[in-house]
Amino acid sequence: MHITVSLDKAARLWPEKEAIVDGKRRITYAEFRRRSRELAQALLGLGLNPGDRVGIMDYNSHFFLESYYGAAYAGLILNPINFRLAPKEISFILQDSGARALIAHTDFGPPIAEALSGEANPVETIIWTGSAPCRLKECPSLTYEKALIEAADRPLPRSRGNDETAHLYYTSGTTGQPKGVMLTHTNVVSHALGAAAELHLTDADVWAHVAPLFHLADAWATFALTMVGGKHIIIPRFEPAQVLDAIVGEGVTISNMIPTMLNMLVNQPGAADRKYPSLRYILSGGAPIAPEVVRKIMETFGCEYVQTYGMTETSPYLTLSLLKTHMRDLPEDQRFWYKARTGREFITVELKVVDQEGREVEPNDQEVGEIWVRGDSVTPGYWNRPEETAKAFQDDWLKTGDLAVIEPEGYVNIVDRKKDMIITGGENVYSTEVEHVLYEHQAVLEAAVIGTPDPKWGEAVKAIVVLKPGTRVGAEELIGFCKERLAHFKAPKSIDFIDELPKTGSGKIYKKGLKERYAG
C-alpha cells in the first residue's frame, strides 16, 4: 500500500472535518490533501524525479505534515532532519542522502548557510517556511506558500509504494557516525495500521504533536491518525504550560511524549490540580522511564498510561504495555507492575529475547538477553551502508542492542542498552535500574547513571542528578538511599549535581556526552 492512500481516504470520508489545528490556522482534510498534492507538484516542478531525496528542517507545523504526504505523492524520499544539529552534522546528512531540495524554517537560515558552504553541497533549491525567505548565495530559494500557488497542475507519478523507500531518518549519532534508516511505504503503513488496531484509534481521536515531528516518537502518528480521520493538534515547541493548555482546550485524547517531557509536565506547577476529561491514553516512548514517573503521570492525568518501546529502524513500535483482557482484574499493584514494564510485542512484529548464542532465554524475568525482532514494520537496512545493514541482522532478525528480561505472559522489560551496561568488579550493573531508584527520591527531577574508569573496579557507578527547584539533598544521602534499595555494588560511588542534563535533539538524555565528559 502507498502512504498517500490514508490521506486520500480521509479526504473522501471526512472532507470538511478539521484535520489540523496549528495555532490560529485550522485545515480540513480536503484542504490538507489539496495542499499536499500542490507541494508534490511544486517539488516535481523544480526538476526532481521520483526517488530523489528532499530534506526538511522545521518546527512542528502543518508544513511538516504536508511535507510527509507531499513527498509521497511526488514519489520522493523525505529526509526529516533534527534542527538542533550542528552545521557540520547537517552538511553530512544532506550530502549522505544526496538531498536535491530542502524545506526549512527561516529560523535555521544561518546553520543551513554554513552547512551548504562546502563544495559537495547537493541542495539545488530551498523552500522556506516562516515569515520570509532567507537569501542564500549557495542556492535559489522561494517561500512555501509561493511554491504552492505557482505549482503547475501536473499529473503525479503513480506507484504502488510497497517496498519503495519513503523516508530516511538519520540516527542521532550517539553510537558513531549517523546512518540513514530507510523506511518503506510498507513499513510506514503497516505500523500505522498496527497502531490504529492496538490503540483503538478512530475519527473521534485528537492527537497532540508534542514530541518533534523529525523524530519517530511522534511522526508515526501523522499516518495513523490520518488513516482514521482523527485530528492533529500542532505544538510547535515544547512548553509545559502550553502543552497542558492544548490538552484541555483542544480536547486531546491521546499523545506520545519523551519521558523527559512527561517528567516536566507532571512537575509543572498546578498540573495535578487540573482536570483532563478528554484524555484516554498517555504514551511514553523514545527512552526508558522510571516507575515513579509513571505513577505520577497516572495520578496527574487520570487516564490510561501505556509504555512504548521502539526504534527508528522499526517504524518505531516494538512493544506496548497494554494489558491483556484477563489482566484487568488483577490487583492494582500487579496491574501497575505490568503497565510500568517495557511491554509485550507490537502487533506488526515478532519479538524474542536471546542469549549470546542466539537461543531464547527462559521467560523467568531473571535471565537477561538481547531483543531481536522481525516483521513488516522493520527497516530493510541503512542508506548506502550494506556492511552496516548486514551487521544489524542475523538471518532476518534485527538485533536491537537492547538487553531485557521476559516473563511468562510475554512482557519484556529492558534493563539497559548493551553499550550502557556497567561492569564493576566483574559484576553487571544496569544503569536504568539505578536511575529508577534515584527517581523515587522526592528531591530528584532527572538522573543519568554511567560507568566511569576506575583503577580498582574497572568501572565505577556514577550518577549525574538534577534536583527539583527548591530542594536540597547531599550525595551521601542519595547514595545511602540507593543502598537501602539495591545491592551495594550497584549504588553510585559518586554523584554530581548539575542544573540540566544534556539532551539529544529529540529530548532524550544524551549519555554519550556524559560519558565523554567523565571519561578521564
Side-chain angles (χ1 to χ4, degrees), residues 72-232:
Y73 277 119
L76 304 171
I77 299 172
L78 191 70
N79 174 206
I81 301 172
N82 181 347
F83 55 73
R84 297 186 181 93
L85 295 177
K88 185 177 180 181
E89 296 170 303
I90 296 168
S91 177
F92 172 83
I93 290 172
L94 292 172
Q95 290 181 34
D96 191 71
S97 68
R100 293 185 59 194
L102 178 63
I103 300 167
H105 195 284
T106 50
D107 284 0
F108 312 127
I112 288 172
E114 186 175 342
L116 300 183
S117 61
E119 294 181 1
N121 165 33
V123 177
E124 299 168 13
T125 308
I126 300 178
I127 299 175
W128 295 103
T129 66
S131 56
C134 297
R135 301 298 178 186
L136 303 183
K137 67 179 186 299
E138 286 75 18
C139 62
S141 60
L142 69 163
T143 66
Y144 186 96
E145 295 300 334
K146 184 178 180 181
L148 266 57
I149 291 169
E150 295 181 352
D153 187 9
R154 67 181 76 241
L156 297 176
R158 286 187 172 273
S159 75
R160 296 181 63 188
N162 296 343
D163 293 333
E164 295 175 9
T165 301
H167 302 147
L168 269 184
Y169 290 95
Y170 277 76
T171 58
S172 62
T174 55
T175 58
Q177 192 178 66
K179 302 186 294 287
V181 177
M182 297 184 290
L183 293 184
T184 66
H185 286 261
T186 292
N187 292 154
V188 175
V189 173
S190 65
H191 185 277
L193 287 167
E198 293 274 31
L199 299 169
H200 305 291
L201 301 176
T202 73
D203 59 337
D205 275 306
V206 181
W207 179 275
H209 290 277
V210 180
L213 272 162
F214 61 70
H215 192 278
L216 270 172
D218 186 86
W220 67 266
T222 302
F223 311 101
L225 265 288
T226 299
M227 185 172 283
V228 300
K231 185 187 292 188
H232 302 268

Side-chain angles (χ1 to χ4, degrees), residues 265-315:
L265 284 186
V266 297
N267 284 289
Q268 176 72 10
D273 300 326
R274 302 180 72 165
K275 301 296 183 185
Y276 309 92
S278 62
L279 267 180
R280 63 186 191 89
Y281 278 136
I282 282 288
L283 294 74
S284 74
I289 187 168
E292 188 59 29
V293 178
V294 172
R295 198 180 304 278
K296 290 179 182 177
I297 291 168
M298 295 172 69
E299 291 172 353
T300 299
F301 294 111
C303 67
E304 287 292 313
Y305 166 82
V306 182
Q307 186 164 168
T308 74
Y309 154 64
M311 304 171 67
T312 303
E313 287 86 342
T314 57
S315 305

Side-chain angles (χ1 to χ4, degrees), residues 321-340:
S321 68
L322 290 166
L323 299 183
K324 300 177 188 178
T325 302
H326 72 272
M327 294 176 171
R328 295 171 189 165
D329 295 326
L330 291 173
E332 183 179 351
D333 61 336
Q334 290 185 42
R335 294 199 309 272
F336 179 80
W337 185 81
Y338 278 105
K339 283 177 178 288

Side-chain angles (χ1 to χ4, degrees), residues 355-421:
D355 62 19
Q356 292 182 347
E357 282 71 44
R359 297 185 298 259
E360 291 192 52
V361 303
E362 290 295 322
N364 55 16
D365 212 36
Q366 297 294 322
E367 192 175 347
V368 176
E370 183 181 5
I371 295 175
W372 288 10
V373 295
R374 65 183 178 186
D376 285 345
S377 51
V378 177
T379 178
Y382 300 105
W383 182 256
N384 293 333
R385 299 281 201 286
E387 292 182 0
E388 294 282 354
T389 299
K391 284 195 299 184
F393 288 86
Q394 183 152 327
D395 299 324
D396 56 346
W397 293 89
L398 174 68
K399 299 179 289 185
T400 68
D402 290 312
L403 301 177
V405 293
I406 186 167
E407 55 82 62
E409 289 279 4
Y411 285 70
V412 300
N413 203 43
I414 291 177
V415 296
D416 221 339
R417 290 285 293 168
K418 269 187 174 181
K419 62 186 177 62
D420 290 336
M421 187 177 73

Side-chain angles (χ1 to χ4, degrees), residues 467-479:
L467 296 178
K468 293 176 182 176
T471 63
R472 296 182 65 182
V473 64
E476 290 304 317
E477 180 182 341
L478 267 186
I479 292 171

